[in-house]
Amino acid sequence: MKWMHLSDLHIGKRVHEFSMMEDQKDILRKILEVIGREKVDGVIIAGDIYDKPVPSAEAVQVLDNFLTQLARRHIPVFAVSGNHDSAERVAFGAQFMSAGGVYLSPVYDGNVRKICLSDAYGQVWVYLLPFVKPATVRHAFEEEKIESYQDAVEAAIRHMEVDTDQRNLLVAHQFVTGASRCESEEISVGGLDNVDVSVFDAFDYVALGHIHSPQYIGRETVRYCGTPLKYSFSEAEQEKTVTIVEMGKKGEVSVKEIPLTPLHDMRKIRGTYENVMARSFYQEINREDYIQITLTDEEDVLDAQQRLRSVYPNLMRLEYDNRRTREQQRIDSAEAIEQKSELELFEEFYELQNNQPMSDRQRQFSRDLIQKILEKED
């Protein structure tokens, strides 16, 4: 049985105020072409289908068109909601859509939807676990002590009662310890959303979403497929792919990645204003790509952004690297502060006030307190 593993489509996303909608429509068309060439038996979407809990009408139409194309080809879809999605909105119409081969995770209530498929080797069970927080699972199993994401996912999987003699595939949207993050992902407090890879031992393949870089964790069959498009300049050097998973008999799983070519790539450019505006320089690159330019001029260039866009129309980000900016970098910039977790900021504040770092006990107390505050906000 052959699967295509997708995740983190983030339909409707904007990057540096540029709409990615046309890029997303284009990449979904290309993904459909790969599906046809590879003759896949099913498509997995492991969460963050939309970029916002309340997606725009256009974003909904883009997903509707993609699912309709798959339904016409009689290719089933197995999708879960991610942390960017509204679980209720993703689950809407799930029973009706099952008739068309689109299987969606319901809002988590202690039960996980599972679907049985068959091939020449027997049955394959597909489990759809949406993004869960400790408070969500604690509500379902009030008698159990669930304090962390580790506790929550362990409890959710334990209550699935997975038959390990069968072939089992899990679709989930969580952060597994050891995964490499990008700037475009949400960072949780002090790594509190970490889940150890061992919780997935019962499954032959784990199709994960949440992390934007393709990678496997612990074993090659616990994988993040990554985003089909680049959503930050920290991903500029990555090659985006789709993941193809082929399951044979029990214990036989093979994985390959197929490269995707975007409508617009992401590119970093560095040099003086005169250099980057020189014809000999820009003729060597695709000026329609999404561009980040770092100017090394010691003095700011008047109307630099507007003038640069006359050559690079999709200039997303302009910054300077010179003596002045390097001096400013000695103090944390607002952007650097935004990338730090609440716990990291509190640790720095504590050390500033007390001239010594927090103890392990104080750190754990602070971590637990911050988690409780954030859960109440949710």
Side-chain angles (χ1 to χ4, degrees), residues 43-250:
V43 173
I44 295 162
I45 308 178
D48 281 358
I49 300 168
Y50 297 114
D51 192 55
K52 295 180 179 179
V54 183
S56 67
E58 186 179 8
V60 173
Q61 289 170 358
V62 169
L63 178 65
D64 178 68
N65 180 66
F66 182 61
L67 296 179
T68 300
Q69 293 296 324
L70 292 173
R72 287 174 178 168
R73 302 178 189 196
H74 305 288
I75 298 172
V77 179
F78 304 84
V80 302
S81 54
N83 58 301
H84 277 252
D85 298 311
S86 162
E88 292 79 7
R89 284 182 169 84
V90 169
F92 176 76
Q95 295 299 320
F96 174 76
M97 294 179 74
S98 296
V102 178
Y103 302 94
L104 304 172
S105 62
V107 177
Y108 187 78
D109 61 359
N111 298 300
V112 171
R113 187 175 191 183
K114 63 179 182 177
I115 301 98
C116 184
L117 303 175
S118 297
D119 65 6
Y121 298 102
Q123 296 179 330
V124 177
W125 290 91
V126 182
Y127 292 79
L128 303 181
L129 178 64
F131 176 71
V132 292
K133 296 182 179 181
T136 308
V137 182
R138 190 161 52 238
H139 181 73
F141 305 112
E142 295 179 354
E143 72 284 357
E144 298 192 26
K145 185 178 181 181
I146 298 171
E147 297 180 344
S148 65
Y149 278 80
Q150 176 79 16
D151 296 338
V153 177
E154 278 184 339
I157 290 176
R158 184 171 62 253
H159 285 276
M160 291 181 197
E161 299 181 348
V162 179
D163 181 357
T164 54
D165 290 331
Q166 299 284 347
R167 290 177 297 165
N168 299 295
L169 187 154
L170 176 68
V171 186
H173 191 92
Q174 302 290 156
F175 176 62
V176 181
T177 305
S180 301
R181 297 193 189 241
C182 300
E183 288 178 2
S184 56
E185 299 150 6
E186 287 189 358
I187 298 175
S188 184
V189 187
L192 292 178
D193 55 353
N194 285 14
V195 175
D196 190 80
V197 69
S198 62
V199 303
F200 304 120
D201 285 347
F203 299 95
D204 297 270
Y205 185 80
V206 183
L208 291 168
H210 191 39
I211 299 301
H212 290 186
S213 304
Q215 58 193 283
Y216 69 88
I217 309 296
R219 56 184 166 99
E220 290 194 5
T221 51
V222 180
R223 300 186 74 91
Y224 290 103
C225 62
T227 54
L229 290 170
K230 300 173 185 179
Y231 289 137
S232 76
F233 285 101
S234 66
E235 303 165 58
E237 301 305 317
Q238 288 184 13
E239 180 178 56
K240 292 300 184 178
T241 61
V242 291
T243 300
I244 302 295
V245 183
E246 195 157 4
M247 300 180 76
K249 64 184 180 181
K250 178 71 175 180

Side-chain angles (χ1 to χ4, degrees), residues 4-20:
M4 176 180 282
H5 174 188
L6 302 171
S7 77
D8 298 272
L9 304 179
H10 287 280
I11 301 174
K13 188 173 182 65
R14 300 181 71 85
V15 179
H16 296 288
E17 299 310 312
F18 279 67
S19 170
M20 302 298 288

Side-chain angles (χ1 to χ4, degrees), residues 313-329:
N314 291 322
L315 172 63
M316 278 189 168
R317 185 174 179 179
L318 172 63
E319 56 185 34
Y320 284 85
D321 181 16
N322 51 33
R323 284 194 298 268
R324 173 180 57 80
T325 58
R326 286 193 289 272
E327 182 69 23
Q328 290 176 343
Q329 287 170 4

Side-chain angles (χ1 to χ4, degrees), residues 249-293:
K249 64 184 180 181
K250 178 71 175 180
E252 292 184 354
V253 180
S254 62
V255 180
K256 68 177 180 180
E257 296 176 342
I258 297 178
L260 293 172
T261 302
L263 183 63
H264 304 95
D265 204 348
M266 275 194 169
R267 186 183 300 275
K268 292 181 179 180
I269 293 175
R270 178 184 176 88
T272 64
Y273 174 79
E274 182 178 349
N275 286 342
V276 301
M277 291 291 281
R279 183 182 297 273
S280 59
F281 182 93
Y282 63 69
Q283 281 184 333
E284 300 297 320
I285 65 174
N286 183 353
R287 290 182 288 151
E288 297 297 319
D289 285 344
Y290 295 126
I291 305 288
Q292 171 185 297
I293 295 179

